Amino acid sequence: MSKTLWIKSPLAIFTANESDASNGLVIKDDKIIELVASGLQPTIPVDEIIDASDKVILPGLINCHHHLYQTLTRAFPPALNKKLFPWLQTLYPVWARLQPEMLFNATQLGLGELMLSGCTTVADHHYLFPAALTEAMDIQVQASAGIGGRVMLTRGSMSLGEEDGGLPPQSTVQSDETILRDCERVIESYHQYSGADKNSPTVQLALAPCSPFSVSTELMKQTAQLARQFKVRLHTHLAETLDENEFCLQTFGLRPLDYLESVDWLAADVWLAHGIHFNDEEILRLGQASTGISHCPSSNMLLASGICRTRELHHAGAAVGLGVDGSASNDGSNMIQEVRQALLINRLRYEADQVSHRDALYWATKGGAKVLGRDDIGELGPGKQADLAMFTLDEARFSGSHDPLAALVLCGAHSASDVMVAGQWTVRGGQLLTADIQNIQQKHRKSAARLAMQP
Ligand SMILES: [Zn+2]
């Protein structure tokens, strides 16, 4: 018989909903079965109790946008201090040399790094399929299984190379037909549908043309059709920079959102990375369509792209989540740090009393779950998945803080003490239990050095 576990009396707990769990929560198998309100005890007998009186508990954090392969080109000298388009043009030829074991190591390193920061669900956008890497999705499925969190692997694509007026070099693009055939293959091989069996999905697939400036119009349309046929989600980059606005106006005679609508992508099964340069009317349309936005604060700051209009999007009805974005445009894959970045960048756009640390935590949890179309994760409540992150405030940086939940964000927490996914511990005492992170790091460093070497 399976045991019940009471994680008792946390220092603070954020449920991402209205429920009171001041006295902790009870877990059985992969689910939370009870929240324990202030001054109360569990209503059912428990087999094991963990004292959490020195821990802050959050729902497992959800990263809505990343490019794990980019962990191999962090702080890469030729790409430093550049805007998005020149930054991409510098890195594309390097990324074109990616080899299978490099992607495997990058996926494990990035997922391990994220897990240690309290992140239990990661959406990765992989759009590079040079000749050596046509099985990128298979590699990522294998690699992620070794780390143990939930993944939403998006089968990206680029079909518009330099020769056709696109941005990426020809060696990194595939034909529309090859792309669509592989999309179908990987969905059929790996996508787990919600409710298909008793378990909550750990591996999901989505379809994700890289951006309007790297795929054909026809591919955008056909990808949407295919995703709807298979009932998987759609993802792309949109409205990240003003250069992109300019590109869309020149190439299609349309602003990015109008273009998106013209290819049948303004819909509830779509989430967009960045979503910065929308006007008021476009924000209302996004809200009416219930399209999701992955706000990527660090990346937007580093590439000087702009600031997402999170509050207007949220009020219009669009779900807002957080993404660390590619490690090369952020140089970190740390979700709890991204929560702090989100709070800070939003304070540049809004008044201090309009955005709080709780808003930033909400985006990183329940907001992210909505963006990824999930209702079984992202919050703490009966029947929800037991995905949690716990943090201790015992470092010098927290000393003298008074509100533990605010301290987590404001004083700059960077690593979780304990993480649980579907009722299983993946991190205890700050150590990854599912894999040897030192060993992964060693292999990853070698891969990065090889990739950076000129051929
Ligand atoms: Zn991105």
Side-chain angles (χ1 to χ4, degrees):
M1 215 187 77
S2 58
K3 286 184 171 178
T4 48
L5 166 68
W6 178 17
I7 301 180
K8 186 186 172 188
S9 310
L11 184 60
I13 186 163
F14 177 77
T15 57
N17 53 43
E18 300 300 311
S19 307
D20 176 12
S22 305
N23 219 9
L25 42 83
V26 182
I27 291 160
K28 186 176 185 190
D29 299 323
D30 60 339
K31 289 190 181 67
I32 298 166
I33 55 169
E34 188 175 2
L35 297 184
V36 188
S38 172
L40 298 182
Q41 303 276 314
T43 58
I44 48 165
V46 294
D47 300 307
E48 191 188 345
I49 296 175
I50 289 181
D51 174 18
S53 55
D54 62 344
K55 317 263 188 203
V56 179
I57 304 180
L58 305 179
L61 303 176
I62 297 175
N63 177 21
C64 297
H65 182 70
H66 204 12
H67 310 283
L68 289 161
Y69 75 87
Q70 293 181 6
T71 57
L72 296 163
T73 48
R74 295 200 252 217
F76 187 62
L80 292 175
N81 312 323
K82 286 191 160 73
K83 292 204 298 179
L84 179 68
F85 278 19
W87 175 84
L88 279 171
Q89 281 162 325
T90 307
L91 285 164
Y92 278 142
V94 181
W95 294 335
R97 303 197 294 265
L98 269 178
Q99 297 293 316
E101 83 281 3
M102 295 176 182
L103 178 63
F104 185 93
N105 295 336
T107 302
Q108 290 214 321
L109 187 283
L111 290 177
E113 187 188 356
L114 278 155
M115 181 75 76
L116 287 164
S117 76
C119 179
T120 52
T121 301
V122 177
D124 193 54
H125 188 177
H126 187 85
Y127 51 80
L128 277 167
F129 293 80
L133 211 62
T134 50
E135 294 186 350
M137 288 295 101
D138 310 78
I139 293 166
Q140 288 205 293
V141 169
Q142 256 186 38
S144 61
I147 304 297
R150 299 180 200 276
V151 285
M152 167 73 95
L153 299 170
T154 77
R155 203 295 182 189
S157 52
M158 298 200 291
S159 67
L160 206 61
E162 274 169 336
E163 289 170 15
D164 304 307
L167 212 57
Q170 219 59 29
S171 66
T172 60
V173 306
Q174 292 180 304
S175 73
D176 288 6
E177 199 200 321
T178 304
I179 291 165
L180 291 163
R181 240 188 294 121
D182 194 52
C183 286
E184 201 169 324
R185 178 186 73 81
V186 297
I187 295 169
E188 285 183 324
S189 304
Y190 303 118
H191 180 73
Q192 298 170 358
Y193 287 91
S194 291
D197 55 37
K198 286 204 308 280
N199 301 322
S200 272
T202 48
V203 178
Q204 292 202 305
L205 267 284
L207 303 185
C210 184
S211 63
F213 47 81
S214 49
V215 301
S216 67
T217 300
E218 201 42 43
L219 185 63
M220 287 295 286
K221 287 184 184 166
Q222 290 191 8
T223 302
Q225 275 173 14
L226 191 67
R228 282 160 194 155
Q229 182 191 332
F230 282 93
K231 296 190 167 45
V232 298
R233 295 178 83 74
L234 287 162
H235 180 50
T236 193
H237 293 98
L238 203 86
E240 181 174 359
T241 63
L242 292 171
D243 285 355
E244 180 194 324
N245 267 9
E246 205 46 47
F247 178 92
C248 286
L249 283 169
Q250 274 184 11
T251 313
F252 312 116
L254 296 168
R255 284 174 54 81
L257 193 75
D258 294 328
Y259 177 66
L260 198 77
E261 188 167 26
S262 78
V263 291
D264 206 16
W265 272 64
L266 186 58
D269 55 0
V270 173
W271 87 102
L272 306 170
H274 307 294
I276 296 169
H277 300 283
F278 293 129
N279 62 32
D280 293 349
E281 179 262 339
E282 289 169 336
I283 285 176
L284 291 180
R285 281 158 63 201
L286 282 159
Q288 273 160 6
S290 303
T291 302
I293 304 289
S294 175
H295 172 34
C296 303
S298 295
S299 163
N300 297 162
M301 285 189 267
L302 202 79
L303 297 173
S305 303
I307 308 175
C308 178
R309 298 174 67 187
T310 51
R311 269 173 61 86
E312 290 90 332
L313 284 161
H314 176 76
H315 287 136
V320 177
L322 287 190
V324 300
D325 200 5
S327 291
S329 61
N330 172 342
D331 295 306
S333 312
N334 188 306
M335 260 313 277
I336 192 65
Q337 286 189 339
E338 206 61 30
V339 174
R340 184 169 196 266
Q341 300 284 59
L343 175 68
L344 297 181
I345 194 175
N346 276 271
R347 287 284 172 89
L348 288 180
R349 185 181 275 287
Y350 305 107
E351 296 294 333
D353 59 358
Q354 289 185 322
V355 182
S356 74
H357 60 279
R358 286 181 166 272
D359 292 319
L361 285 167
Y362 181 88
W363 295 329
T365 53
K366 195 167 176 181
K370 284 184 176 177
V371 165
L372 299 186
R374 301 282 297 250
D375 60 8
D376 54 340
I377 56 173
E379 63 185 302
L380 305 179
K384 301 293 176 190
Q385 281 291 297
D387 288 13
L388 325 164
M390 310 211 285
F391 298 82
T392 46
L393 306 185
D394 56 358
E395 292 170 75
R397 63 175 65 215
F398 300 109
S399 186
S401 63
H402 298 270
D403 176 329
L405 191 65
L408 193 70
V409 180
L410 295 170
C411 304
H414 58 94
S415 56
S417 60
D418 309 274
V419 179
M420 178 182 272
V421 182
Q424 304 288 322
W425 293 112
T426 53
V427 175
R428 288 292 266 159
Q431 302 298 316
L432 191 65
L433 303 182
T434 49
D436 180 347
I437 195 76
Q438 299 297 339
N439 186 259
I440 293 170
Q441 226 170 294
Q442 238 173 41
K443 291 193 239 166
H444 182 262
R445 267 202 306 268
K446 279 187 195 149
S447 289
R450 273 189 55 210
L451 183 66
M453 261 178 341
Q454 289 301 319

